[in-house]
Amino acid sequence: MSITRRTFALIGMLAMVASPAFAETPKSIGKIERLDPALDKLIPADSVIEVLADGFDWSEGPVWVPQGQYLLFSDIPPNRIMKWKAGEGMSVFMEPSGYTGKEPFTGKEPGTNGLVLDADGVLTACCHGDRNLVKFVDGKRVVIADKYDGKRFNSPNDLTIHSSGDIYFTDPPYGLPKNFDDPGREQDWCGVYRLKKNGEVELVTSKHTRPNGIALSPDEKTLYVAQSDPKAATITRYPLNADGSVGAGKIFYDGTNLVGKMKGLPDGMAVDAAGNVWATGPGGVLVFTPEGKQIGLLNTGEATANCTFGDDGYLYITADMYLCRVKTNSQATKK
């Protein structure tokens, strides 16, 4: 993170908060590529990739808050959670977010990453710098998991909550100051874990080199895990058993051949109520049918981190320095 970009981000956010005109003069980036007529049912013909705000260091982990009709997302390097609301624009929701230590953080990504709401509407977050999962209950930070088998996590990245209350999450080392080579690293792998409602942490799989985004199908019979490894840029589909365990995984998407040709890697994703998968990857947000056929690309022209559905008919997208949205006909999965 350069001083120039950080300064630009601060100035940009102040301008967005101070100027009501920002929301009145929307701009767009990239283009929507319709690879199959099936996409026309999901995205109206006049939809664009609308920019709501920019100037962030690395935007991630968006979550829609129905009660307040606003969006929260992580800006990881400056250790903040941001808030965007129509008619009000941008504001800082929480600072610090993912790192609360007293010593200066020496890495690049101290903040929160993935954000979700539990069944009670409580904000739950993956914290890079603090290396844990937390819930924010009545203004208090409550750690719900920070170790597996007595060893600290690398840096929890993304999460999804099952209707049972179990949380599935990924744990690559991106939040460690020296990444894979950090001397403070305790786990021998980059795991996918399940935090059971009773507080027990279970290893789901250690076979992914860089597990990242994670999501459930609407019927909760499938668990999707994205891998942000340039040498194996994939999304794997796991059958989810009734007891919460997973079966053998199969490749749902492989974008390794596009790495370097288009910006981005498999990262976060959202699954709509019909089971369509909206997954970030090379080019932007790739749209797949439940069977795995790609029918569209929301080509942002930027490395795109994550996306989520609001209940207002929009898909919200975090793409590097941008917060964007696209009008859709899809609906979020209800739990």
Side-chain angles (χ1 to χ4, degrees), residues 172-174 179-180 208-212 226-235 253-267 281-282:
Y174 297 138
N179 213 287
F180 285 89
H208 288 275
T209 52
R210 301 185 184 188
N212 203 314
Q227 179 168 271
S228 54
D229 186 339
K231 297 180 180 179
T234 61
I235 298 173
Y253 165 76
D254 189 339
T256 309
N257 65 319
L258 296 175
V259 175
K261 299 176 184 177
M262 306 180 80
K263 289 185 179 181
L265 292 164
D267 201 325

Side-chain angles (χ1 to χ4, degrees), residues 39-59:
L39 190 72
D40 297 338
K41 296 180 180 180
L42 303 181
I43 301 178
D46 59 351
S47 289
V48 296
I49 305 173
E50 178 188 354
V51 175
L52 299 175
D54 60 21
F56 306 104
D57 282 291
W58 179 249
S59 58

Side-chain angles (χ1 to χ4, degrees), residues 38 42 55-56 61 91 116 131 175 190 193 274 293:
L42 303 181
F56 306 104
S91 60
V116 297
R131 300 169 66 176
C190 296
Y193 296 96
K293 179 182 179 181

Side-chain angles (χ1 to χ4, degrees), residues 157-160 168-172 190-194 204-217 222-229 232-240 246-247 249-254 266-269 271 277 279-280:
N157 186 285
D158 202 3
L159 70 169
T160 186
Y168 293 85
F169 65 98
T170 58
D171 187 41
C190 296
V192 178
Y193 296 96
R194 172 189 177 199
V204 173
T205 179
S206 60
K207 294 182 179 179
H208 288 275
T209 52
R210 301 185 184 188
N212 203 314
I214 191 167
L216 287 163
S217 61
T222 302
L223 180 71
Y224 297 96
V225 177
Q227 179 168 271
S228 54
D229 186 339
T234 61
I235 298 173
T236 301
R237 173 171 51 192
Y238 292 95
L240 197 62
V246 303
K250 294 183 178 179
I251 297 297
F252 179 77
Y253 165 76
D254 189 339
D267 201 325
M269 68 188 92
V271 183
V277 179
T280 62

Side-chain angles (χ1 to χ4, degrees), residues 51-326:
V51 175
L52 299 175
D54 60 21
F56 306 104
D57 282 291
W58 179 249
S59 58
E60 250 282 18
V63 62
W64 182 257
V65 182
Q67 288 185 332
Q69 291 293 293
Y70 59 83
L71 186 85
L72 298 176
F73 65 96
S74 301
D75 192 9
I76 301 178
N79 201 17
R80 292 190 181 109
I81 295 176
M82 304 301 298
K83 174 183 176 181
W84 178 88
K85 185 172 183 177
E88 296 182 7
M90 191 65 57
S91 60
V92 177
F93 179 79
M94 182 184 299
E95 185 180 18
S97 60
Y99 178 66
T100 57
K102 295 181 180 180
E103 297 298 321
F105 191 80
T106 58
K108 296 180 179 179
E109 298 191 10
T112 53
N113 194 320
L115 306 173
V116 297
L117 301 180
D118 69 9
D120 298 318
V122 176
L123 182 64
T124 308
C126 289
C127 299
H128 271 190
D130 286 341
R131 300 169 66 176
N132 57 24
L133 268 65
V134 301
K135 288 195 175 189
F136 299 100
V137 183
D138 297 327
K140 295 182 180 179
R141 180 186 298 260
V142 179
V143 176
I144 56 175
D146 61 358
K147 294 182 178 70
Y148 170 71
D149 197 24
K151 299 178 181 179
R152 295 184 70 189
F153 297 132
N154 295 316
S155 56
N157 186 285
D158 202 3
L159 70 169
T160 186
I161 302 182
H162 191 275
S163 60
S164 65
D166 289 356
I167 300 175
Y168 293 85
F169 65 98
T170 58
D171 187 41
Y174 297 138
L176 293 174
K178 293 186 178 180
N179 213 287
F180 285 89
D181 299 321
D182 194 272
R185 187 178 174 193
E186 298 181 17
Q187 298 293 344
D188 295 328
W189 51 70
C190 296
V192 178
Y193 296 96
R194 172 189 177 199
L195 171 60
K196 297 182 180 180
K197 196 172 181 179
N198 63 8
E200 178 187 349
V201 178
E202 173 185 274
L203 179 66
V204 173
T205 179
S206 60
K207 294 182 179 179
H208 288 275
T209 52
R210 301 185 184 188
N212 203 314
I214 191 167
L216 287 163
S217 61
D219 61 8
E220 298 186 326
K221 293 182 179 180
T222 302
L223 180 71
Y224 297 96
V225 177
Q227 179 168 271
S228 54
D229 186 339
K231 297 180 180 179
T234 61
I235 298 173
T236 301
R237 173 171 51 192
Y238 292 95
L240 197 62
N241 301 317
D243 63 358
S245 62
V246 303
K250 294 183 178 179
I251 297 297
F252 179 77
Y253 165 76
D254 189 339
T256 309
N257 65 319
L258 296 175
V259 175
K261 299 176 184 177
M262 306 180 80
K263 289 185 179 181
L265 292 164
D267 201 325
M269 68 188 92
V271 183
D272 67 24
N276 300 298
V277 179
W278 305 64
T280 62
V285 179
L286 294 72
V287 186
F288 300 94
T289 66
E291 295 74 31
K293 179 182 179 181
Q294 185 180 354
I295 60 175
L297 172 65
L298 310 183
N299 190 338
T300 63
E302 303 291 338
T304 303
N306 214 329
C307 58
T308 195
F309 285 100
D311 61 9
D312 56 354
Y314 284 96
L315 178 77
Y316 289 86
I317 304 168
T318 50
D320 198 346
M321 67 182 289
Y322 294 104
L323 172 65
C324 307
R325 69 178 181 180
V326 172

